[in-house]
Amino acid sequence: MLKKPWLILLLVCVALLGCQQDETKSGQPKENTGTSKTQKTTEEKETYSLIGEEIEKEPAGHLFEKYIGKKEFADQEEYEKAEEEAVAEYLEEIKNKDTKDWDAKQWATSIITSLRTDVGNVIQPVRDMEVKYHELKLPDGRLVQDVSEEELNEQPDEVNIAVLIDASGSMKAEVPGGIKMALAKSSIEQFSESLPENVNISLSVFGHKGTGSDQDKKMSCESIETVYPLKAYDQKAFSAALDQFDASGWTPLASAIQKAEKELKETSGEQAKTFIYVVSDGIETCDGDPVQAAKAAKHSLTDLQMNIIGFDVDDEADRQLKEVANAGGGKYTSVNNKQELDEEVTKSWKESMGKTGWRYWFSQNSHSTNVSSVRMASELRGLQGDYLTSLNREHDRMKTALNELSDEDIMDLDTKLAISDAIDERTKTVKEYADSVRQEKHREIFDTADSIKEKMDHVTKDLDL
């Protein structure tokens, strides 16, 4: 009877001891581990670097995102209000924390990670700035910087030329060396004889019917005829074509250009180099708009150049023919005698088809490189101004927060000075890093310009520019 109470008491004691051990094993570590892990995770996230590449990847401070964000580049009054709100909330957060044992590193981490800007966001526009010399385009629309020197020197597989001769009555006039019409025919024949094998040529005449009288105007203005269709040069056939007409009537230049455009469009491949060469001694007299016709032809044909010779023209014709050539992407030259005509037709016209055709293009575009470089350098300075504004404002708001902490005796002077040095070092590091990115882009601008100039110098070295 006495053994039973003792046994019961023993079992109760063992059970109580087991429960106490289980409670100790499962409760205390769980509470301590949870608190410690949370604190450690927070501390690990709140870090900052003094290396440019790492700073660029750091996120913006939570108070910067909450109060400043897009106001970072606002006017001073709007920005200062946002900064004041961010710093005020930072002080409230600090007052609710136990910071009496914080060292300078912890303070610097707290200030920087709360108020820092998104450095990557203000540097990236510098990296993303496109260095493109859009003003320097080849006649086919490609940028010079995107085309190799070898491509620039390549001759096109197909070159098609439409020669247009003005056969208005004024071409009967005499100039030093002979009659204008006869001289024009002679020069064009010499030019045609010297064409390379890959060049096709057509010959058209306009205004060669009727007379210069009003009653013949309609007939003459409609007289535009292709006397030698586009094909390789054949001496006998081409000479016969030149013999089919003489100077006679009015000057339907616009219609002649439109007809040449249509014929070239129908017979030229997509990669063909096309030319329209015109010899004329006067203005449009058939109510057409040759400037507009030239613009339309230039737009319609993939790679067109329209070169015009004004043969013994007055000031009005000189002005109009120059406008027509410019609209057609080509060159205008005024000549007054046989020698000048021969030189322009047999030399300049032929040069325009090959490598030496770069003479005119280069003379028209050589200044574009400098203009583009200056424009992009100015754009880059604007981006530099943005990141300097951002970094200076970041520096000032961190110093503002630091001063307020000191003024409220939340930290001592030695700690303040140490943190101030850390903020200064960060700002200096980021500015130097951002400047290195900007300088790299600056070099890219002018290295690209130098590359373009060198490329063009090589292509045009024998042009006596």
Side-chain angles (χ1 to χ4, degrees):
M1 293 292 293
L2 294 174
K3 290 183 179 180
K4 193 171 181 180
W6 175 84
L7 181 59
I8 293 172
L9 180 61
L10 177 63
L11 291 173
V12 170
C13 290
V14 170
L16 289 172
L17 180 62
C19 289
Q20 188 175 19
Q21 288 176 341
D22 289 343
E23 189 175 321
T24 301
K25 184 184 291 186
S26 61
Q28 185 178 349
K30 180 182 283 187
E31 181 180 351
N32 291 343
T33 301
T35 303
S36 174
K37 187 173 182 181
T38 301
Q39 291 174 347
K40 185 176 180 182
T41 302
T42 302
E43 290 172 0
E44 286 176 349
K45 287 182 179 179
E46 292 181 345
T47 60
Y48 71 93
S49 174
L50 292 178
I51 299 173
E53 291 85 348
E54 295 177 358
I55 294 174
E56 186 179 9
K57 297 176 183 177
E58 291 175 347
H62 68 282
L63 295 178
F64 170 87
E65 289 185 323
K66 181 176 181 180
Y67 290 103
I68 300 172
K70 293 182 179 179
K71 297 176 184 177
E72 183 174 26
F73 300 108
D75 61 58
Q76 192 66 21
E77 183 178 354
E78 183 178 0
Y79 168 74
E80 286 179 351
K81 181 180 179 182
E83 178 194 82
E84 184 179 338
E85 292 172 339
V87 171
E89 181 160 328
Y90 175 70
L91 260 66
E92 288 301 314
E93 289 181 356
I94 288 299
K95 290 175 181 178
N96 291 323
K97 293 181 180 180
D98 182 6
T99 60
K100 63 179 182 298
D101 294 327
W102 279 18
D103 58 18
K105 174 70 173 176
Q106 287 172 296
W107 275 115
T109 300
S110 173
I111 294 172
I112 292 173
T113 58
S114 297
L115 298 171
R116 66 190 171 196
T117 188
D118 185 345
V119 172
N121 193 49
V122 294
I123 292 180
Q124 194 60 41
V126 178
R127 295 189 187 281
D128 292 341
M129 179 182 160
E130 185 181 54
V131 177
K132 286 288 186 183
Y133 286 78
H134 292 290
E135 294 87 347
L136 273 172
K137 288 183 179 180
L138 300 178
D140 61 6
R142 293 179 296 169
L143 296 182
V144 173
Q145 71 185 83
D146 295 336
V147 182
S148 69
E149 189 174 321
E150 290 73 20
E151 287 181 274
L152 291 176
N153 281 317
E154 285 180 357
Q155 296 291 339
D157 293 332
E158 181 184 4
V159 178
N160 294 330
I161 298 172
V163 177
L164 311 181
I165 298 182
D166 176 2
S168 60
S170 56
M171 287 290 284
K172 295 177 181 178
E174 187 171 355
V175 295
I179 302 299
K180 285 194 281 186
M181 177 55 78
L183 296 178
K185 288 183 178 182
S186 175
S187 293
I188 289 171
E189 187 159 27
Q190 290 179 52
F191 164 70
S192 304
E193 288 174 350
S194 65
L195 293 176
E197 291 183 359
N198 69 321
V199 177
N200 298 311
I201 185 170
S202 69
L203 176 65
S204 297
V205 59
F206 55 94
H208 59 297
K209 294 182 180 179
T211 66
S213 65
D214 289 342
Q215 64 184 22
D216 285 344
K217 179 177 179 179
K218 185 176 186 300
M219 176 181 65
S220 184
C221 288
E222 292 175 352
S223 61
I224 305 162
E225 183 179 356
T226 301
V227 293
Y228 187 91
L230 187 70
K231 60 182 178 180
Y233 174 74
D234 177 273
Q235 191 273 330
K236 185 177 180 179
F238 199 85
S239 294
L242 285 169
D243 289 339
Q244 293 181 28
F245 58 88
D246 206 342
S248 182
W250 294 66
T251 311
L253 177 57
S255 296
I257 291 172
Q258 291 168 344
K259 187 173 190 295
E261 174 210 332
K262 181 180 178 182
E263 292 178 351
L264 286 172
K265 185 82 171 176
E266 292 173 348
T267 54
S268 300
E270 290 187 3
Q271 301 304 317
K273 176 74 176 174
T274 54
F275 296 85
I276 295 177
Y277 291 139
V278 182
V279 177
S280 178
D281 72 340
I283 62 171
E284 164 80 31
T285 59
C286 292
D287 306 317
D289 186 343
V291 175
Q292 186 57 44
K295 286 181 181 178
K298 179 66 177 172
H299 179 74
S300 172
L301 296 166
T302 304
D303 190 0
L304 172 69
Q305 185 180 121
M306 186 178 299
N307 297 323
I308 298 178
I309 295 176
F311 195 6
D312 186 41
V313 296
D314 59 24
D315 290 343
E316 184 180 3
D318 189 76
R319 177 193 57 76
Q320 186 185 77
L321 294 175
K322 185 181 296 183
E323 288 183 13
V324 176
N326 288 338
K331 175 184 177 183
Y332 169 75
T333 307
S334 177
V335 301
N336 295 295
N337 54 53
K338 179 182 186 303
Q339 181 180 349
E340 291 176 353
L341 178 65
D342 285 345
E343 182 176 348
E344 187 62 26
V345 171
T346 58
K347 184 174 184 293
S348 298
W349 278 13
K350 187 177 179 183
E351 282 183 356
S352 67
M353 292 183 297
K355 178 181 175 183
T356 49
W358 290 107
R359 179 192 304 273
Y360 177 69
W361 186 91
F362 188 72
S363 68
Q364 293 293 100
N365 294 277
S366 58
H367 298 299
S368 296
T369 308
N370 293 333
V371 172
S372 298
S373 297
V374 170
R375 173 184 56 76
M376 284 186 279
S378 177
E379 180 183 347
L380 188 58
R381 282 193 297 273
L383 296 176
Q384 179 188 23
D386 287 345
Y387 73 67
L388 288 177
T389 296
S390 172
L391 298 177
N392 286 334
R393 284 181 166 180
E394 176 196 77
H395 178 271
D396 291 347
R397 68 176 168 268
M398 289 181 181
K399 286 296 184 78
T400 298
L402 181 61
N403 289 334
E404 294 200 19
L405 290 170
S406 177
D407 291 345
E408 296 195 22
D409 295 325
I410 297 175
M411 68 169 61
D412 58 42
L413 180 60
D414 289 340
T415 302
K416 176 185 175 181
L417 294 176
I419 299 168
S420 181
D421 289 344
I423 293 172
D424 289 344
E425 184 178 356
R426 170 186 167 84
T427 302
K428 179 174 179 290
T429 298
V430 181
K431 284 184 177 180
E432 289 176 349
Y433 178 70
D435 281 340
S436 72
V437 175
R438 176 190 58 80
Q439 288 163 6
E440 183 178 346
K441 184 64 67 172
H442 188 271
R443 283 192 297 272
E444 182 184 351
I445 291 171
F446 289 95
D447 285 350
T448 304
D450 289 342
S451 172
I452 291 172
K453 290 176 182 177
E454 183 178 356
K455 189 185 298 183
M456 296 307 303
D457 284 346
H458 287 169
V459 173
T460 59
K461 62 186 176 183
D462 61 342
L463 303 187
D464 190 28
L465 294 171

